[in-house]
């Protein structure tokens, strides 16, 4: 539309200018009369003015063309700037993000620039409560610890980088080396990773996907076979790692050689999620009922900084007749707007959790069965979000122990099918401590039920013996191989991590403000002052 306006304007001005010039040159000269005029003088007079007109016309045309070009350039720049700023100035007419969730609720400026709050603060970084043994964590000798990040997306790995840095041996952690197992061909994400690794070349390396790129995950495991090595597989959408998690997993992996693998305690997983509900770690959060933002853009992660869910917006739920209610609209709700939060219903009434997506899905499970409950929890973006807002609240309360459940498991009678390498390291750890070392205090046996492979510790020699891993590596490594070897897959519930979303949950979760909240948490609690993270994206409409 802008270009057509410029074109019309230019034509109109040129026409008016030509009309004026034509009238001027067709008018007879002042003080000259046609009657009795010398013919030869008249021709010289006309030729003189015609030549002069020709000369002036060229100059004027050049000037006009130049002016019009400058006008068009200024107009286009102004038009482009107004269009780019439209989402921040007029939410009602704002263009929606082209990819769900790729906008930010942080107060980035018109150019997308932002200075993190934490980098402006002075003083020490607050720390979460640790459950380390007396004397602190001490890395076991003679064992290499390698983190395997299954990589495909930069937006989460950007602040996962802070957790990886925190856990490096060079920074007092347990991890000797970090390998990014590439599983994408998206240029934007690949370029980001190359840049990140180039800055951390001493500790980070890229393992090219090769034949695995963009296809199955099974063949990625082919290189994970070194002896005396514990591999910790980490998905690229892990958004929180408690400082105790990796040391806890390593010591549990050593202390219990019989299980095939040891997983972290995932927040946002159907299996552990409903155990968390039973143990009081899930809180009564519901999506913001508004249809547009009611708060300003901010770098914030604490749920207490937002208002409570308004009682007037609570739907009329007949909790005594769940069978008679249609609950899909509660378990799979419409997303209200880009960058919306979840709001806490209450803290003082435990019954309120049953007025939330997760609670209602649990009640409906009484009619449909546990498998239907797990399936809905895997698909529902609202259940994923509720679990993560609950984790944020538990972190704000510094009460990560709300996630601890399970008990020590005795596998001493079933060690005949365990490798000599694992037994050697278990004996060395016990001897070093003068008895059983830390780890394996609270375990949960999945009983050959499929579990999520988002954060798991395995011995390299066990992976080597299990090759080739099937295309569905999660089914193979949590069910098939453990059953074949009669070695269970267990969860260490003291190793708490947060997981962003499963595939069916992606779009819904990323239309919340969770990615911004987890980045804000990392900046305040984990990232070094020189490694503060900022959004990649423009501000969400209405903020």
């Amino acid at each position: 539309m802008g270009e057509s306006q410029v074109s019309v304007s230019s034509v109109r001005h040129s026409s008016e200018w030509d009309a004026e010039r034509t009238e001027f040159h067709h008018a007879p000269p002042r003080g000259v009369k046609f009657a009795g005029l010398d013919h030869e003088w008249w021709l010289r007079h006309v030729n003189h003015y015609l030549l002069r007109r020709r000369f002036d016309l060229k100059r004027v045309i050049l000037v006009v063309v130049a002016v019009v070009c400058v006008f068009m350039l200024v107009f286009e720049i102004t038009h482009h700037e107004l269009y780019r700023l439209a989402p921040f100035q007029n939410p009602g007419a704002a263009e929606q993000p082209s990819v769900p969730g790729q906008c930010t609720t942080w107060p980035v400026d018109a150019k997308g620039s932002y200075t993190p709050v934490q980098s402006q603060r002075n003083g020490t970084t607050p720390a979460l409560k640790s459950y380390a043994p007396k004397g602190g964590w001490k890395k076991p000798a003679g064992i290499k610890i390698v983190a395997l990040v299954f990589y495909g997306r930069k937006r989460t790995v950007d602040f996962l980088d802070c957790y990886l840095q925190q856990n490096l041996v060079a920074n007092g952690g347990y991890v000797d080396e970090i390998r990014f197992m590439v599983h994408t061909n998206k240029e934007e994400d690949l370029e980001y990773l190359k840049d990140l690794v180039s800055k951390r070349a001493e500790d980070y390396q890229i393992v090219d996907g090769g034949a695995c790129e963009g296809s199955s995950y099974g063949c990625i495991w082919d290189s994970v076979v070194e002896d005396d090595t514990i591999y910790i597989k980490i998905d690229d959408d892990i958004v929180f790692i408690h400082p105790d998690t990796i040391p806890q997993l390593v010591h549990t992996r050593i202390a219990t050689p019989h299980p095939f693998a040891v997983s972290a305690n995932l927040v946002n997983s159907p299996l552990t999620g409903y155990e968390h509900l039973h143990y009081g770690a899930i809180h009564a959060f519901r999506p913001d009922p508004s249809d547009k933002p009611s708060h300003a853009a901010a770098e914030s992660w604490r749920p207490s900084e937002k208002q409570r869910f308004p009682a007037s917006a609570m739907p009329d739920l007949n909790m005594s007749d769940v069978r008679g209610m249609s609950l899909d609209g509660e378990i799979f709700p419409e997303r209200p707007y880009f960058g919306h939060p979840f709001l806490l219903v209450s803290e003082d009434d435990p019954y309120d959790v049953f007025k939330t997506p997760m609670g209602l899905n649990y009640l409906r499970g009484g009619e449909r069965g546990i498998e239907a409950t797990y399936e809905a929890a895997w698909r529902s973006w609202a259940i994923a979000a509720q679990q993560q807002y609950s984790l944020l609240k538990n972190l704000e309360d510094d009460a990560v122990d709300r996630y601890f459940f399970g008990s020590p498991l005795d596998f001493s009678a079933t060690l005949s099918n365990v490798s000599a390498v694992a037994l050697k390291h278990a004996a060395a750890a016990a001897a070093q401590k003068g008895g059983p070392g830390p780890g394996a205090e609270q375990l949960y046996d999945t009983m050959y039920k499929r579990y999520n492979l988002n954060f798991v510790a395995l011995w390299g020699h066990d992976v080597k013996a299990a090759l080739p891993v099937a295309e569905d590596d999660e089914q193979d490594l949590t069910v098939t191989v453990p059953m074949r070897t009669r070695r269970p897959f267990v969860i260490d519930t003291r190793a708490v991590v947060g997981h962003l979303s499963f595939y069916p949950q992606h779009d819904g979760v990323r239309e919340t403000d969770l990615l911004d909240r987890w980045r804000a948490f990392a900046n305040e609690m984990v990232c070094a002052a020189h490694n503060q993270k900022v959004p990649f994206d423009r501000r969400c409409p209405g903020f």
Side-chain angles (χ1 to χ4, degrees), residues 225-371:
V225 294
E226 297 162 89
D227 289 333
D228 299 314
T229 302
I230 294 175
Y231 294 97
I232 301 177
K233 187 262 191 182
I234 304 173
D235 271 4
D236 66 354
D237 64 343
I238 292 295
V239 290
F240 167 75
I241 305 172
H242 191 277
D244 289 343
T245 291
I246 288 180
Q248 178 73 29
L249 270 185
V250 168
H251 286 287
T252 295
R253 177 65 288 186
I254 295 168
T256 55
H258 178 61
F260 175 72
V262 182
S263 173
N265 184 358
L266 290 173
V267 175
N268 186 23
S269 167
L271 181 61
T272 44
Y274 278 97
E275 293 296 332
H276 300 159
L277 178 68
H278 290 159
Y279 285 94
I282 303 299
H283 302 287
F285 283 95
R286 290 179 58 92
D288 184 358
S290 303
D291 58 3
K292 60 183 178 181
S294 57
H295 51 279
E299 180 184 346
S300 166
W301 65 268
R302 291 173 174 81
S304 66
E305 293 174 355
K306 294 289 187 291
Q307 72 274 19
R308 292 291 180 87
F309 188 91
S312 59
M314 182 66 71
D316 185 16
L317 300 170
N318 184 2
M319 307 300 291
S320 61
D321 184 22
V322 176
R323 185 184 301 179
M325 288 193 293
S326 176
L327 296 179
D328 277 356
E330 291 291 317
I331 298 169
F332 305 97
E334 295 292 327
R335 282 104 72 176
Y337 56 88
F338 286 101
H340 67 90
F342 270 44
L343 305 176
L344 188 63
V345 176
S346 73
E347 287 187 83
D348 50 6
D349 188 349
Y351 189 72
D352 282 340
V353 77
F354 294 107
K355 301 174 184 177
T356 66
M358 199 166 183
L360 290 166
N361 186 49
Y362 177 77
L363 293 177
R364 188 170 71 168
E367 301 294 330
R368 299 191 177 187
I370 191 65
E371 291 302 324

Side-chain angles (χ1 to χ4, degrees), residues 7 26 33 68 85 100 117 122 150 161 180 194 212 234 258 267 279 289 299 337 343 403 418 465-466 480 517 527 530:
S7 177
H26 280 284
K33 299 180 180 179
V68 170
L85 296 177
V117 172
N122 295 316
F150 279 39
D161 168 59
F180 289 89
K194 290 174 186 176
C212 292
I234 304 173
H258 178 61
V267 175
Y279 285 94
E299 180 184 346
Y337 56 88
L343 305 176
Y403 292 98
V418 176
T480 306
R517 285 179 182 266
C527 302
H530 65 274

Side-chain angles (χ1 to χ4, degrees), residues 50 100 194 197 248 263 313 316 380-381 487 532 542:
L50 283 175
K194 290 174 186 176
V197 172
Q248 178 73 29
S263 173
D316 185 16
S380 169
W381 70 270
R487 299 175 62 193
Q532 294 287 291

